[in-house]
Amino acid sequence: MWKLKIAEGRSPWLRTTNNHVGRQIWEFDSKAGSPQEIDEIEKARENFNINRFEKKHSSDLLMRIQFAKENPLAEILPQVKLNDTEDVTEEAVTTTLRRAIDFYSTIQADDGHWPGDYGGPMFLMPGLVIALSVTGALNAVLSEDHQVEMRRYLYNHQVLGVFEWSGNNPLPPEIWLLPHLSDTFKQFHFGGEQLFGGEIVGPTGYNGSQLWDTSFAVQAIISTNLVDAYGSTLKKAHAFIRNSQVSEDCPGDLSYWYRHISKGAWPFSTADHGWPISDCTAEGLKAALSLSKIPADVVGEPVDVKRLYDGVNVILSLQNDDGGFATYELTRSYPWMELINPAETFGDIVIDYPYVECTSAAIQALTSFKKLYPGHRQSEIHNCIKKAAKYIETIQEADGSWYGSWAVCFTYGTWFGVKGLVAAGGTYNNSASIRKACDFLLSKQRASGGWGESYLSCQDKVYSNLPDDRSHVVNTGWAMMALIDADQVERDPTPLHRAARCLINSQMENGDYPQEEIMGVFNRNCMISYSAYRVIFPVWALGEYRCRVLQAPRRN
């Protein structure tokens, strides 16, 4: 029987900067599990296999089954269901929020993060298997139990049709000399693994989305104003955020390796992974700042101010001349380099482009920071926010949306676009961009009151609804929060009430939310599951709705 292990590293070959905080691995124990527990697992597997073409994601069921036994809920509050004519009351929203956070707290790891399936790419495991096979190390590295699970995964996710090996276009290894030959090529990105001169190199990538999910989860829980009831949950998350900040730059001459500074950054996953990323640093900083405003006896000691300064320094260092923010580093080359993009699947991968999500997150973080520390690098922060907001306005689509590059898709991008402009001082009344964005979002609301966007939007760069007019709890959360930030309640709160009713009625009996269509993406065509989103964003949206719509006094 498989068991999820957290923050463990028994191998002498494993190095760590923080006692393996955030590390999550599955370990097989042939002697573990009662007959009833094993039967429950087998039924879950069988059900997934039968429904794999309709429900393509794991829903993290094995993890949820394990945690339900390790951290059982003492009480599950009664489920709330509202008909189409019922008013959405504060009691209904509060009960739904408590049910969701009660459940979500039971699947939090002891080190403070929320484990989850960060699946989707199908090009990583095959490369590993092929490399181990051709080197004769397959059975030495992978146990029979691991191989069984890998075969099961490949079977459940197989795509019919084969492709001749001769159809692959190898990338000559000499391409790596380009950065040394010309400044034009100092930034040259490849995603995942690539074929270099017929040899497989990889896989590369992340080891999860631990910090990213935890930062969002903290902001979601705080938004509900139910902090006192969930202090222990937030205290563990706070510890994880403190332990996940990168404490040092990479050794050596950073310029020689074309590396950006990393001291003070927050990574996407764990400190051991260590890559500094603009929006992860911003979201980590936002979460840390929000937690610092809550008494330490409730959520633990705040991040030291010098470390906050380091985080701000990383963010400021990542702004491009046009005001936008890319992901890992400055945009150091030109879009025409996509002409030598060797990947036949991924688009826009050769250089690090600026994104609305990264730019907005930077604005939000710096705005939150300057409210608490107004004297620190005041002029630089002011100018950075001003330039970033201008950049967001310039990349808005004609229909009022923003293209989201890291999740599905226009709904996600528009949430970030609106949130960034509002953080920079924009309002519905003084910003044409915000008005256009609201019109766009309202035009996409479904009959159910929710929003539902297909992954096809990412691929085609044209908004596509989910089939059968379905809504999606994650899209609904993003759209709802954007409209709340843009003061939709002052004009017509009806769309917000309808969206809240949709989220309330979507909640499952145990307080969880259903795993629906895939919501993450990178490079237009590679979808990512982000299993934690299905709880985080309904909670965040209903939290904002509770405090800023139902409890807020109406303006005259």
Side-chain angles (χ1 to χ4, degrees):
M1 185 170 174
W2 290 94
K3 184 174 182 179
L4 183 64
K5 300 278 191 174
I6 300 295
E8 293 189 12
R10 300 176 212 159
S11 169
W13 298 102
L14 283 176
R15 293 182 295 173
T16 181
T17 62
N18 62 352
N19 295 318
H20 301 290
V21 166
R23 187 168 188 255
Q24 48 190 38
I25 60 169
W26 286 93
E27 184 176 272
F28 187 80
D29 183 351
S30 60
K31 299 178 181 179
S34 67
Q36 292 80 11
E37 290 173 329
I38 293 172
D39 184 60
E40 184 181 14
I41 296 296
E42 290 305 319
K43 286 180 178 177
R45 285 173 170 156
E46 181 182 6
N47 183 64
F48 178 82
N49 177 263
I50 292 171
N51 297 288
R52 66 189 185 278
F53 298 115
E54 287 73 40
K55 296 289 185 181
K56 301 180 182 180
H57 314 299
S58 71
S59 302
D60 275 331
L61 280 182
L62 297 190
M63 182 195 79
R64 278 162 160 75
I65 290 170
Q66 175 181 324
F67 281 17
K69 293 178 174 61
E70 294 177 355
N71 309 310
L73 271 172
E75 177 189 13
I76 300 178
L77 296 174
Q79 190 171 11
V80 179
K81 293 292 184 183
L82 302 174
N83 63 44
D84 291 344
T85 59
E86 269 187 284
D87 289 338
V88 182
T89 64
E90 185 176 340
E91 180 183 6
V93 174
T94 302
T95 299
T96 301
L97 286 169
R98 287 186 180 278
R99 283 167 43 78
I101 305 174
D102 284 349
F103 169 80
Y104 203 51
S105 296
T106 69
I107 61 172
Q108 184 183 27
D110 289 339
D111 67 1
H113 86 281
W114 277 268
D117 180 20
Y118 181 64
M122 294 296 293
F123 55 83
L124 294 174
M125 186 168 68
L128 173 64
V129 172
I130 295 168
L132 292 176
S133 179
V134 298
T135 57
L138 186 67
N139 294 326
V141 173
L142 298 176
S143 71
E144 177 59 26
D145 297 305
H146 284 86
Q147 293 185 37
V148 166
E149 293 304 327
M150 294 169 88
R151 288 194 292 268
R152 190 197 316 274
Y153 180 84
L154 290 169
Y155 175 78
N156 281 331
H157 295 277
Q158 70 176 323
V159 178
L160 293 178
V162 294
F163 197 69
E164 291 292 336
W165 185 256
S166 60
N168 286 285
N169 294 322
L171 181 67
E174 287 79 11
I175 201 77
W176 290 105
L177 295 174
L178 288 175
H180 301 280
L181 298 177
S182 169
D183 287 344
T184 303
F185 296 98
K186 281 186 178 178
Q187 183 182 64
F188 204 84
H189 283 236
F190 301 109
E193 71 228 354
Q194 296 291 344
L195 206 57
F196 297 103
E199 299 178 356
I200 293 170
V201 179
T204 63
Y206 292 115
N207 55 339
S209 54
Q210 293 92 315
L211 185 280
W212 182 250
D213 291 341
T214 302
S215 297
F216 276 154
V218 163
Q219 295 175 75
I221 295 171
I222 291 175
S223 78
T224 68
N225 201 24
L226 299 171
V227 169
D228 290 341
Y230 300 102
S232 61
T233 299
L234 289 171
K235 182 178 284 189
K236 289 198 297 182
H238 198 179
F240 179 78
I241 289 169
R242 281 198 304 271
N243 291 329
S244 297
Q245 189 178 16
V246 180
S247 59
E248 298 293 340
D249 288 325
C250 291
D253 182 357
L254 298 183
S255 63
Y256 179 80
W257 299 107
Y258 314 109
R259 295 294 298 266
H260 201 80
I261 62 171
S262 51
K263 181 182 179 181
W266 272 275
F268 183 68
S269 55
T270 65
D272 283 339
H273 188 275
W275 284 358
I277 309 172
S278 62
D279 54 350
C280 299
T281 301
E283 297 298 341
L285 181 60
K286 284 168 59 186
L289 291 169
S290 295
L291 288 160
S292 74
K293 293 185 279 187
I294 302 171
D297 61 340
V298 177
V299 298
E301 294 298 321
V303 175
D304 183 79
V305 65
K306 291 182 180 179
R307 293 175 62 186
L308 298 179
Y309 290 171
D310 289 340
V312 169
N313 184 58
V314 170
I315 293 173
L316 291 172
S317 74
L318 284 166
Q319 186 171 40
N320 289 298
D321 291 340
D322 62 5
F325 284 77
T327 52
Y328 307 101
E329 56 194 9
L330 295 166
T331 303
R332 297 195 295 241
S333 199
Y334 308 100
W336 61 257
M337 287 184 65
E338 292 297 335
L339 292 172
I340 55 172
N341 178 352
E344 296 176 330
T345 303
F346 306 127
D348 304 334
I349 67 167
V350 175
I351 67 172
D352 202 357
Y353 297 89
Y355 301 99
V356 64
E357 300 100 310
C358 299
T359 307
S360 170
I363 292 174
Q364 295 172 54
L366 293 175
T367 299
S368 298
F369 174 82
K370 74 174 186 176
K371 289 177 181 177
L372 296 178
Y373 303 94
H376 183 75
R377 301 178 71 168
Q378 184 177 21
S379 177
E380 292 174 80
I381 289 173
H382 172 79
N383 292 333
C384 177
I385 292 172
K386 185 177 179 180
K387 285 178 62 178
K390 185 66 178 176
Y391 174 78
I392 288 176
E393 290 176 339
T394 63
I395 62 170
Q396 188 177 27
E397 303 286 339
D399 64 2
S401 68
W402 282 271
Y403 178 82
S405 297
W406 301 102
V408 179
C409 168
F410 292 99
T411 318
Y412 185 66
T414 303
W415 173 50
F416 271 101
V418 169
K419 204 166 182 65
L421 293 180
V422 169
T427 67
Y428 185 88
N429 292 326
N430 70 18
S431 171
S433 291
I434 293 176
R435 291 194 294 273
K436 287 170 61 180
C438 290
D439 290 341
F440 167 79
L441 289 172
L442 292 172
S443 74
K444 303 304 181 185
Q445 191 170 26
R446 302 291 87 203
S448 64
W451 281 258
E453 188 176 2
S454 167
Y455 75 95
L456 293 172
S457 295
C458 307
Q459 171 186 295
D460 301 334
K461 293 195 173 183
V462 176
Y463 188 96
S464 300
N465 288 312
L466 289 173
D468 304 321
D469 204 32
R470 290 197 303 274
S471 61
H472 194 294
V473 294
V474 177
N475 290 137
T476 301
W478 293 332
M480 193 174 169
M481 287 191 285
L483 291 170
I484 290 173
D485 269 346
D487 289 328
Q488 180 65 35
V489 65
E490 298 298 327
R491 298 182 296 279
D492 177 14
T494 303
L496 301 176
H497 299 325
R498 293 177 59 217
R501 185 182 295 109
C502 178
L503 291 180
I504 290 170
N505 288 337
S506 297
Q507 191 176 42
M508 297 165 64
E509 188 175 349
N510 65 349
D512 198 2
Y513 275 88
Q515 177 69 61
E516 298 174 322
E517 286 82 0
I518 202 161
M519 276 290 111
V521 69
F522 66 87
N523 302 129
R524 291 180 60 178
N525 290 310
C526 191
M527 312 311 296
I528 302 286
S529 56
Y530 284 106
S531 298
Y533 280 14
R534 71 197 215 228
V535 180
I536 291 172
F537 289 108
V539 166
W540 199 345
L542 287 174
E544 298 280 1
Y545 176 79
R546 176 179 185 263
C547 298
R548 299 174 62 185
V549 177
L550 295 182
Q551 295 180 345
R554 296 293 297 274
R555 301 173 192 165
N556 295 325

